Amino acid sequence: MVPVSKLQPDADALESGDPQPSAGSRASGWGVVLAGLVGGAVLALYAVATPFVIPAFRKVCLPFVPATPAQVGNVLAALQRRTGSVVDLGSGDGRIVIAAAKQGFRAVGFELNPWLVWYSRYRAWREGVHRSTSFYRSDLWKVSFSQYTNVVIFGVPQMMAPLEDKLQGELQISAKVIACRFPFPTWVPNQTAGEGIDTVWAYDAKSFHKRETGTETAAEEATKEK
């Protein structure tokens, strides 16, 4: 026989009106919290990653792929004994611009991704070269590069032919163009450095301007006569 006291509900429980949570309900609550955290993390990752991925879906694809240390070194090697300004077309996180500024160049980057533009400015400030660098959010097809002495491009194959035409029509004869990862289709490089994906091709503007006008320098004519 069970004592009557055991059959009576706990007086404190009746007064509070709050049922005691079961182990199952506590587990369910933690599941909801965990699902919320995971969902929030996924949304945050999507928000951060989307601006970096979207450029890959444009008509002329120029996705953000950071330059390797070897590529940066090869670009700097191609810029040796050069002066003036350096412009990086599609400057990404700004590493080429920052490296050029550390070599004494006035360096500029054009990048369509706003997140990368702001990050590049922060990196330049952190590296102490913010006074000799500039980063602009702009479509490289809508900008004239006639004022720049040295042009760097990390391009993709489908953009190199139209970019070749654009630069040939804009650059001064003293300019130099450095292509990374992929060469220009018809220009003949005056210099190459590196191998594989780290290869860079350097082109003197006087070479492709000469082809455009069909003229030759006096030195070249004298060499042919010999």
Side-chain angles (χ1 to χ4, degrees), residues 106-225:
R106 173 66 192 173
V108 178
F110 285 92
E111 171 60 49
L112 197 56
N113 188 316
W115 293 70
L116 291 173
V117 171
W118 284 106
Y119 180 62
S120 298
R121 291 171 180 168
Y122 163 72
R123 286 193 63 187
W125 171 81
R126 189 181 64 185
E127 297 288 336
V129 293
H130 58 286
R131 296 186 184 279
S132 55
T133 59
S134 299
F135 295 94
Y136 301 103
R137 181 176 180 264
S138 184
D139 186 337
L140 66 87
W141 303 105
K142 299 177 181 179
V143 178
S144 172
F145 302 106
S146 58
Q147 62 178 304
Y148 297 105
T149 313
N150 304 283
V151 179
V152 180
I153 174 67
F154 280 76
V156 290
Q158 60 266 42
M159 71 179 293
M160 300 308 282
L163 184 59
E164 184 179 273
D165 293 337
K166 175 178 172 61
L167 295 178
Q168 186 161 314
E170 294 178 353
L171 296 181
Q172 301 295 320
I173 197 169
S174 59
K176 187 168 193 172
V177 182
I178 301 171
C180 308
R181 296 199 181 101
F182 299 98
F184 285 97
T186 67
W187 292 350
V188 179
N190 303 94
Q191 175 189 358
T192 59
E195 58 184 14
I197 63 169
D198 295 326
T199 304
V200 302
W201 295 263
Y203 308 84
D204 291 336
K206 61 184 178 183
S207 298
F208 51 75
H209 278 303
K210 178 189 67 178
R211 290 181 53 203
E212 182 181 28
T213 59
T215 61
E216 293 180 321
T217 65
E220 290 172 328
E221 292 177 349
T223 300
K224 284 188 175 182
E225 289 176 357

Side-chain angles (χ1 to χ4, degrees), residues 4-65:
V4 174
S5 62
K6 297 296 184 182
L7 297 177
Q8 298 298 323
D10 183 76
D12 293 337
L14 288 175
E15 290 177 0
S16 65
D18 295 329
Q20 297 297 314
S22 64
S25 64
R26 287 196 298 269
S28 176
W30 280 111
V32 172
V33 172
L34 181 60
L37 291 174
V38 172
V42 170
L43 288 175
L45 179 62
Y46 178 80
V48 172
T50 296
F52 291 84
V53 176
I54 283 177
F57 296 96
R58 297 193 181 99
K59 183 177 181 180
V60 177
C61 173
L62 188 57
F64 169 54
V65 180

